[in-house]
């Protein structure tokens, strides 16, 4: 098929692959988007962008890696590009919501609620550099070091080391935050 023919209607293969990926990994992709963007409206935009880029990417999918690896590679690359673009566009600006979330409160009681702990973890993960964020989000999605290595281009040993180091840092920061609450 020539390029001019393919510019008309997309081949059904692309849509079938997308439907399969969205069905199997849709919830994980939603969590991934939330791991990169906390604001609900921006999170929704990022999620849409991930799905759009994923659909487009299946034009060049050649099956050299698993559907899962391809899906998460596209999703993470889209999310990293989004974060870089957002930082560039909003450099120096902080929203009122962000100030309220990070401002210490005198009357706040210590809260060991699981939901608060998850929010705290998400907030800390969003502060990580894009590669470290990609590693931790993938790890929290239950991917093993070999799969994460395939996604990131790092060696499995390097991925395991980074996971260990990031977990140690995150645990320290959470303990520190809880002692100040």
């Amino acid at each position: 098929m020539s390029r001019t023919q393919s510019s008309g209607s997309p081949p059904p293969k692309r849509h079938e692959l997308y439907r399969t990926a969205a069905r199997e990994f849709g919830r994980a992709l939603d969590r991934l988007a939330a791991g990169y963007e906390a604001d609900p409206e921006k999170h929704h935009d990022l999620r849409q962008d991930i799905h759009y880029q994923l659909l487009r990417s299946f034009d060049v999918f050649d099956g050299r890696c698993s559907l899962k690896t391809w899906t998460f590679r596209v999703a993470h690359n889209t999310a990293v590009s989004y974060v870089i673009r957002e930082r560039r566009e909003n450099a120096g600006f902080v929203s009122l919501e962000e100030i309220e979330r990070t401002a210490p409160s005198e009357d706040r009681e210590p809260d060991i609620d699981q939901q608060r702990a998850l929010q705290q973890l998400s907030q800390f993960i969003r502060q990580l550099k894009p590669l470290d964020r990609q590693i931790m989000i993938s790890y929290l999605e239950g991917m093993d070091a070999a799969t994460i290595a395939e996604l990131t281009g790092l060696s499995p040993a390097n991925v395991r080391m980074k996971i260990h180091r990031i977990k140690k840092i995150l645990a320290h920061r959470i303990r520190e935050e809880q002692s100040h609450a």
Side-chain angles (χ1 to χ4, degrees):
M1 182 184 292
S2 72
R3 286 185 186 264
T4 57
Q5 289 173 322
S6 67
S7 64
S9 64
K13 176 186 172 197
R14 171 171 91 164
H15 289 290
E16 290 170 24
L17 288 168
Y18 171 74
R19 278 192 291 276
T20 301
R23 183 179 59 250
E24 290 183 20
F25 312 116
R27 291 183 57 129
L29 293 175
D30 290 346
R31 289 189 298 269
L32 181 143
Y36 279 92
E37 180 55 67
D39 180 87
E41 287 180 27
K42 290 181 178 182
H43 166 240
H44 178 74
D45 291 344
L46 175 58
R47 189 175 63 218
Q48 284 184 321
D49 194 26
I50 287 170
H51 282 273
Y52 174 71
Q53 295 301 332
L54 185 60
L55 174 63
R56 287 184 59 212
S57 76
F58 286 123
D59 283 339
V60 295
F61 179 67
D62 59 8
R64 283 190 277 168
C65 64
S66 71
L67 181 63
K68 181 178 182 178
T69 298
W70 182 266
T71 299
F72 281 95
R73 187 178 292 153
V74 170
H76 279 288
N77 288 340
T78 302
V80 167
S81 295
Y82 169 85
V83 167
I84 292 168
R85 188 173 54 248
E86 280 291 307
R87 281 189 184 154
R88 201 174 320 130
E89 291 174 3
N90 299 316
F93 298 111
V94 178
S95 70
L96 291 175
E97 292 81 13
E98 185 66 28
I99 291 171
E100 286 177 344
R101 260 187 288 170
T102 58
S105 174
E106 298 293 325
D107 59 345
R108 190 170 70 187
E109 295 179 22
D111 189 1
I112 56 171
D113 181 47
Q114 183 179 7
Q115 183 64 28
R116 172 140 170 79
L118 288 173
Q119 288 174 340
Q120 223 176 13
L121 179 62
S122 294
Q123 181 181 4
F124 289 144
I125 288 174
R126 279 190 295 275
Q127 294 172 356
L128 294 172
K129 292 180 181 177
L131 178 63
D132 294 338
R133 190 181 314 181
Q134 179 180 12
I135 290 169
M136 288 310 294
I137 289 172
S138 299
Y139 173 76
L140 291 171
E141 283 300 325
M143 292 183 196
D144 63 6
T147 304
I148 297 170
E150 191 176 347
L151 281 172
T152 61
L154 299 172
S155 71
N158 196 351
V159 167
R160 284 189 293 276
M161 187 241 352
K162 281 187 163 287
I163 289 170
H164 176 75
R165 287 178 60 204
I166 295 168
K167 282 172 52 178
K168 189 173 178 179
I169 291 167
L170 290 175
H172 174 75
R173 290 189 67 186
I174 288 171
R175 278 193 303 273
E176 189 176 273
E177 178 79 17
Q178 287 174 345
S179 70
H180 289 93

